[in-house]
């Protein structure tokens, strides 16, 4: 779509805001929608469907007993940074079969936050693996559902094969400040990480 | 997906001739909006929305801007986003 020629916009819409985005990814029921809702200035636009209506592509629902809906499209939130920049937040679906959307979603993203449920590490592996491979700056946030970490963070890093340079933190998806802190971790990583889009980096370090 | 579109004058003048989703989309795009925002608003799958939006762009009823920024500009923008989020923290 980017290759299409620009046409003249109607005169009264003004300069477009600069859109930037951060992707919030993670496995089923890890708290993506909750996190986006805490910080979005607009009600989060989300497409939830009763779990029973979603094909039996996953049978994890019984592990999250109180959960009766799941995100089948994506969460969309927004934070106005200043009069020019709008930060968009995209929560991506938890089920593996929506993984095909990630490429589109992550294109041009400043970075990604992968949310992990410490009790179900396996669910989060596909997202971590995806971002490790694509070289998009990301951080991993372990959602402390029960308020305590049952694994050492180093164990989580090892189990999910998270590289040493990737920030790994704990957070509470229901806490606005905690979610903002997690985004800041991603953005700082984005600033320091060499970009793929630039000239190829010599990873051997000369 | 975060690429933004806005209705053109042509588009806004033509809404009475458009139908269903096409009309809903053009009317929703009076200001710059992200494609994902349209998807959620109109209640269509993102892939479907992209196709409809592409059609409307081809008709010159919508126009788009992507989100690829030059490297140094990108850096400056990340720094501004960091300041902005820190301020509302
Ligand atoms: N105790 C506790 N519950 C949480 C926390 N974060 C989310 N929840 C709950 O966990 C459930 C799942 O959270 P969601 O935000 O729907 O998870 P999701 O990642 O959007 O799930 P899908 O879109 O279905 O993949 C919800 O019932 C939340 O209220 C947390 O930090 N602590
Ligand atoms: Mg969700």
């Amino acid at each position: 779509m980017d290759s299409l020629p620009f046409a003249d916009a109607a005169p009264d819409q003004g300069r477009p805001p600069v859109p930037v985005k951060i992707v919030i990814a993670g496995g089923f029921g890890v708290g993506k929608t909750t996190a986006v809702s805490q910080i979005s200035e607009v009600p989060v636009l989300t497409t939830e469907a009763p779990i029973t209506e979603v094909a039996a592509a996953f049978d994890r629902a019984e592990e999250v007993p109180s959960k009766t809906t799941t995100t089948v499209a994506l969460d969309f939130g927004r934070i106005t940074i200043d009069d020019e920049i709008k930060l968009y937040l995209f929560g991506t679906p938890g089920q593996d079969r929506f993984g095909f959307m990630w490429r589109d979603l992550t294109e041009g993203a400043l970075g990604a936050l992968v949310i992990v449920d410490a009790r179900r590490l396996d669910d989060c592996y596909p997202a971590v693996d995806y971002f490790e491979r694509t070289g998009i700056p990301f951080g991993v946030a372990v959602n402390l559902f029960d308020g305590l970490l049952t694994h050492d963070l180093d164990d989580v890093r090892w189990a999910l094969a998270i590289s040493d340079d990737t920030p790994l933190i704990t957070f509470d998806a229901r806490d606005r400040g905690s979610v903002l802190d997690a985004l800041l971790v991603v953005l700082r990583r984005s600033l320091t990480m060499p970009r793929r889009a630039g000239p190829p980096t010599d990873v051997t370090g000369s | 997906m975060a690429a933004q579109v806005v209705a053109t004058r042509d588009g806004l003048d033509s809404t009475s001739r458009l139908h269903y989703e096409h009309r809903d989309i053009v009317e929703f795009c009076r200001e710059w909006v992200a494609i994902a925002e349209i998807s959620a608003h109109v209640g269509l799958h993102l892939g479907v929305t992209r196709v409809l939006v592409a059609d409307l762009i081809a008709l010159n009823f919508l126009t788009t801007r992507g989100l690829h920024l030059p490297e140094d500009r990108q850096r400056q923008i990340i720094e501004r986003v960091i300041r902005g989020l820190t301020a509302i923290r």
Side-chain angles (χ1 to χ4, degrees), chain A residues 172-197:
Chain A
D172 185 333
R174 298 161 304 173
D175 182 297
R176 184 171 173 275
S178 182
V179 178
L180 286 171
D181 284 345
L183 293 189
L184 286 165
V185 164
V186 170
L187 289 164
R188 290 198 195 96
R189 170 68 179 147
S190 183
L191 268 189
T192 55
M193 184 167 158
R195 295 250 150 202
R196 266 233 187 136

mmCIF file of all heavy atoms in Angstrom, chain A residues 172-197:
data_model
loop_
_atom_site.group_PDB
_atom_site.id
_atom_site.type_symbol
_atom_site.label_atom_id
_atom_site.label_comp_id
_atom_site.label_asym_id
_atom_site.label_seq_id
_atom_site.Cartn_x
_atom_site.Cartn_y
_atom_site.Cartn_z
ATOM 1 N N ASP A 172 2.914 -5.880 35.977
ATOM 2 C CA ASP A 172 1.523 -6.197 36.271
ATOM 3 C C ASP A 172 0.674 -5.516 35.199
ATOM 4 O O ASP A 172 0.623 -4.289 35.123
ATOM 5 C CB ASP A 172 1.160 -5.664 37.663
ATOM 6 C CG ASP A 172 -0.254 -6.072 38.077
ATOM 7 O OD1 ASP A 172 -1.111 -6.288 37.184
ATOM 8 O OD2 ASP A 172 -0.498 -6.183 39.285
ATOM 9 N N ALA A 173 0.021 -6.319 34.379
ATOM 10 C CA ALA A 173 -0.732 -5.790 33.242
ATOM 11 C C ALA A 173 -1.886 -4.903 33.691
ATOM 12 O O ALA A 173 -2.405 -4.119 32.905
ATOM 13 C CB ALA A 173 -1.262 -6.934 32.379
ATOM 14 N N ARG A 174 -2.289 -5.012 34.962
ATOM 15 C CA ARG A 174 -3.426 -4.212 35.430
ATOM 16 C C ARG A 174 -2.991 -2.861 35.962
ATOM 17 O O ARG A 174 -3.818 -2.052 36.360
ATOM 18 C CB ARG A 174 -4.177 -4.981 36.530
ATOM 19 C CG ARG A 174 -4.762 -6.300 36.045
ATOM 20 C CD ARG A 174 -5.069 -7.196 37.212
ATOM 21 N NE ARG A 174 -3.855 -7.392 38.022
ATOM 22 C CZ ARG A 174 -3.822 -8.013 39.189
ATOM 23 N NH1 ARG A 174 -4.935 -8.497 39.705
ATOM 24 N NH2 ARG A 174 -2.691 -8.155 39.846
ATOM 25 N N ASP A 175 -1.678 -2.649 36.026
ATOM 26 C CA ASP A 175 -1.131 -1.436 36.622
ATOM 27 C C ASP A 175 -0.587 -0.514 35.537
ATOM 28 O O ASP A 175 0.369 -0.846 34.833
ATOM 29 C CB ASP A 175 -0.035 -1.837 37.607
ATOM 30 C CG ASP A 175 0.571 -0.629 38.327
ATOM 31 O OD1 ASP A 175 1.178 0.230 37.650
ATOM 32 O OD2 ASP A 175 0.418 -0.559 39.551
ATOM 33 N N ARG A 176 -1.212 0.657 35.400
ATOM 34 C CA ARG A 176 -0.870 1.598 34.338
ATOM 35 C C ARG A 176 0.610 1.962 34.345
ATOM 36 O O ARG A 176 1.271 1.939 33.309
ATOM 37 C CB ARG A 176 -1.738 2.842 34.520
ATOM 38 C CG ARG A 176 -1.574 3.866 33.457
ATOM 39 C CD ARG A 176 -2.624 4.960 33.611
ATOM 40 N NE ARG A 176 -2.338 6.026 32.679
ATOM 41 C CZ ARG A 176 -1.487 7.018 32.917
ATOM 42 N NH1 ARG A 176 -0.871 7.073 34.086
ATOM 43 N NH2 ARG A 176 -1.255 7.935 31.997
ATOM 44 N N GLY A 177 1.115 2.310 35.510
ATOM 45 C CA GLY A 177 2.522 2.708 35.611
ATOM 46 C C GLY A 177 3.447 1.577 35.207
ATOM 47 O O GLY A 177 4.456 1.777 34.519
ATOM 48 N N SER A 178 3.075 0.392 35.609
ATOM 49 C CA SER A 178 3.876 -0.785 35.288
ATOM 50 C C SER A 178 3.905 -1.037 33.780
ATOM 51 O O SER A 178 4.949 -1.366 33.204
ATOM 52 C CB SER A 178 3.279 -1.985 36.038
ATOM 53 O OG SER A 178 4.018 -3.137 35.816
ATOM 54 N N VAL A 179 2.764 -0.846 33.129
ATOM 55 C CA VAL A 179 2.704 -1.044 31.681
ATOM 56 C C VAL A 179 3.521 0.040 30.964
ATOM 57 O O VAL A 179 4.274 -0.243 30.029
ATOM 58 C CB VAL A 179 1.241 -1.051 31.174
ATOM 59 C CG1 VAL A 179 1.192 -1.199 29.658
ATOM 60 C CG2 VAL A 179 0.445 -2.173 31.843
ATOM 61 N N LEU A 180 3.401 1.294 31.434
ATOM 62 C CA LEU A 180 4.194 2.373 30.832
ATOM 63 C C LEU A 180 5.687 2.107 30.999
ATOM 64 O O LEU A 180 6.473 2.305 30.073
ATOM 65 C CB LEU A 180 3.823 3.722 31.468
ATOM 66 C CG LEU A 180 2.475 4.313 31.039
ATOM 67 C CD1 LEU A 180 2.122 5.534 31.888
ATOM 68 C CD2 LEU A 180 2.500 4.688 29.553
ATOM 69 N N ASP A 181 6.072 1.631 32.177
ATOM 70 C CA ASP A 181 7.489 1.297 32.392
ATOM 71 C C ASP A 181 7.958 0.242 31.399
ATOM 72 O O ASP A 181 9.063 0.315 30.873
ATOM 73 C CB ASP A 181 7.702 0.779 33.821
ATOM 74 C CG ASP A 181 7.687 1.918 34.833
ATOM 75 O OD1 ASP A 181 7.794 3.082 34.415
ATOM 76 O OD2 ASP A 181 7.563 1.634 36.039
ATOM 77 N N ALA A 182 7.102 -0.746 31.159
ATOM 78 C CA ALA A 182 7.472 -1.818 30.227
ATOM 79 C C ALA A 182 7.679 -1.249 28.820
ATOM 80 O O ALA A 182 8.626 -1.610 28.121
ATOM 81 C CB ALA A 182 6.398 -2.910 30.233
ATOM 82 N N LEU A 183 6.806 -0.308 28.418
ATOM 83 C CA LEU A 183 6.974 0.310 27.097
ATOM 84 C C LEU A 183 8.265 1.123 27.036
ATOM 85 O O LEU A 183 8.955 1.133 26.013
ATOM 86 C CB LEU A 183 5.792 1.222 26.766
ATOM 87 C CG LEU A 183 4.439 0.556 26.548
ATOM 88 C CD1 LEU A 183 3.441 1.576 26.023
ATOM 89 C CD2 LEU A 183 4.541 -0.612 25.572
ATOM 90 N N LEU A 184 8.595 1.790 28.130
ATOM 91 C CA LEU A 184 9.823 2.581 28.159
ATOM 92 C C LEU A 184 11.045 1.683 28.004
ATOM 93 O O LEU A 184 12.017 2.043 27.329
ATOM 94 C CB LEU A 184 9.895 3.396 29.460
ATOM 95 C CG LEU A 184 8.944 4.612 29.492
ATOM 96 C CD1 LEU A 184 8.781 5.172 30.898
ATOM 97 C CD2 LEU A 184 9.449 5.702 28.540
ATOM 98 N N VAL A 185 10.980 0.516 28.601
ATOM 99 C CA VAL A 185 12.079 -0.446 28.459
ATOM 100 C C VAL A 185 12.248 -0.825 26.982
ATOM 101 O O VAL A 185 13.359 -0.869 26.453
ATOM 102 C CB VAL A 185 11.808 -1.702 29.331
ATOM 103 C CG1 VAL A 185 12.690 -2.862 28.917
ATOM 104 C CG2 VAL A 185 12.025 -1.371 30.812
ATOM 105 N N VAL A 186 11.129 -1.062 26.310
ATOM 106 C CA VAL A 186 11.182 -1.403 24.883
ATOM 107 C C VAL A 186 11.777 -0.253 24.066
ATOM 108 O O VAL A 186 12.631 -0.455 23.201
ATOM 109 C CB VAL A 186 9.767 -1.740 24.345
ATOM 110 C CG1 VAL A 186 9.770 -1.864 22.824
ATOM 111 C CG2 VAL A 186 9.242 -3.025 24.992
ATOM 112 N N LEU A 187 11.334 0.970 24.366
ATOM 113 C CA LEU A 187 11.799 2.120 23.589
ATOM 114 C C LEU A 187 13.285 2.379 23.798
ATOM 115 O O LEU A 187 14.008 2.720 22.865
ATOM 116 C CB LEU A 187 10.986 3.362 23.968
ATOM 117 C CG LEU A 187 9.536 3.325 23.478
ATOM 118 C CD1 LEU A 187 8.690 4.366 24.186
ATOM 119 C CD2 LEU A 187 9.479 3.534 21.958
ATOM 120 N N ARG A 188 13.754 2.207 25.032
ATOM 121 C CA ARG A 188 15.190 2.411 25.277
ATOM 122 C C ARG A 188 15.995 1.346 24.537
ATOM 123 O O ARG A 188 17.050 1.623 23.983
ATOM 124 C CB ARG A 188 15.486 2.363 26.780
ATOM 125 C CG ARG A 188 14.933 3.580 27.471
ATOM 126 C CD ARG A 188 15.553 3.824 28.840
ATOM 127 N NE ARG A 188 14.700 4.778 29.557
ATOM 128 C CZ ARG A 188 13.766 4.403 30.423
ATOM 129 N NH1 ARG A 188 13.593 3.124 30.736
ATOM 130 N NH2 ARG A 188 13.015 5.312 30.999
ATOM 131 N N ARG A 189 15.466 0.150 24.506
ATOM 132 C CA ARG A 189 16.124 -0.913 23.748
ATOM 133 C C ARG A 189 16.149 -0.552 22.254
ATOM 134 O O ARG A 189 17.128 -0.758 21.555
ATOM 135 C CB ARG A 189 15.373 -2.229 23.964
ATOM 136 C CG ARG A 189 15.793 -3.370 23.066
ATOM 137 C CD ARG A 189 17.190 -3.842 23.387
ATOM 138 N NE ARG A 189 17.572 -4.972 22.529
ATOM 139 C CZ ARG A 189 18.812 -5.185 22.127
ATOM 140 N NH1 ARG A 189 19.780 -4.371 22.500
ATOM 141 N NH2 ARG A 189 19.084 -6.221 21.366
ATOM 142 N N SER A 190 15.050 0.012 21.795
ATOM 143 C CA SER A 190 14.939 0.402 20.392
ATOM 144 C C SER A 190 15.980 1.464 20.030
ATOM 145 O O SER A 190 16.512 1.476 18.920
ATOM 146 C CB SER A 190 13.524 0.915 20.137
ATOM 147 O OG SER A 190 13.343 1.233 18.793
ATOM 148 N N LEU A 191 16.270 2.357 20.985
ATOM 149 C CA LEU A 191 17.263 3.402 20.747
ATOM 150 C C LEU A 191 18.675 2.845 20.647
ATOM 151 O O LEU A 191 19.485 3.312 19.855
ATOM 152 C CB LEU A 191 17.255 4.413 21.904
ATOM 153 C CG LEU A 191 16.382 5.639 21.825
ATOM 154 C CD1 LEU A 191 16.723 6.568 22.983
ATOM 155 C CD2 LEU A 191 16.567 6.357 20.507
ATOM 156 N N THR A 192 18.959 1.852 21.461
ATOM 157 C CA THR A 192 20.344 1.368 21.539
ATOM 158 C C THR A 192 20.631 0.248 20.556
ATOM 159 O O THR A 192 21.772 0.004 20.211
ATOM 160 C CB THR A 192 20.682 0.860 22.958
ATOM 161 O OG1 THR A 192 19.717 -0.128 23.325
ATOM 162 C CG2 THR A 192 20.668 1.987 23.963
ATOM 163 N N MET A 193 19.572 -0.423 20.106
ATOM 164 C CA MET A 193 19.797 -1.580 19.248
ATOM 165 C C MET A 193 20.112 -1.174 17.819
ATOM 166 O O MET A 193 19.451 -0.321 17.254
ATOM 167 C CB MET A 193 18.538 -2.447 19.244
ATOM 168 C CG MET A 193 18.704 -3.711 18.477
ATOM 169 S SD MET A 193 17.322 -4.792 18.846
ATOM 170 C CE MET A 193 17.384 -5.815 17.401
ATOM 171 N N PRO A 194 21.134 -1.773 17.230
ATOM 172 C CA PRO A 194 21.408 -1.482 15.826
ATOM 173 C C PRO A 194 20.238 -1.922 14.964
ATOM 174 O O PRO A 194 19.630 -2.959 15.218
ATOM 175 C CB PRO A 194 22.656 -2.305 15.511
ATOM 176 C CG PRO A 194 22.917 -3.157 16.696
ATOM 177 C CD PRO A 194 21.992 -2.790 17.794
ATOM 178 N N ARG A 195 19.922 -1.115 13.978
ATOM 179 C CA ARG A 195 18.749 -1.379 13.149
ATOM 180 C C ARG A 195 19.083 -2.247 11.957
ATOM 181 O O ARG A 195 20.073 -2.029 11.292
ATOM 182 C CB ARG A 195 18.175 -0.066 12.613
ATOM 183 C CG ARG A 195 17.633 0.820 13.660
ATOM 184 C CD ARG A 195 16.158 0.875 13.544
ATOM 185 N NE ARG A 195 15.601 1.104 14.870
ATOM 186 C CZ ARG A 195 14.363 0.806 15.195
ATOM 187 N NH1 ARG A 195 13.575 0.267 14.318
ATOM 188 N NH2 ARG A 195 13.919 1.026 16.392
ATOM 189 N N ARG A 196 18.188 -3.171 11.659
ATOM 190 C CA ARG A 196 18.351 -3.974 10.454
ATOM 191 C C ARG A 196 18.180 -3.166 9.190
ATOM 192 O O ARG A 196 18.754 -3.456 8.168
ATOM 193 C CB ARG A 196 17.286 -5.060 10.427
ATOM 194 C CG ARG A 196 17.844 -6.281 11.012
ATOM 195 C CD ARG A 196 17.713 -7.477 10.174
ATOM 196 N NE ARG A 196 18.178 -8.548 11.062
ATOM 197 C CZ ARG A 196 17.583 -9.690 11.200
ATOM 198 N NH1 ARG A 196 16.548 -9.953 10.477
ATOM 199 N NH2 ARG A 196 18.041 -10.582 12.027
ATOM 200 N N ALA A 197 17.277 -2.167 9.301
ATOM 201 C CA ALA A 197 16.916 -1.402 8.110
ATOM 202 C C ALA A 197 18.118 -0.643 7.552
ATOM 203 O O ALA A 197 18.180 -0.373 6.379
ATOM 204 C CB ALA A 197 15.789 -0.427 8.437
#
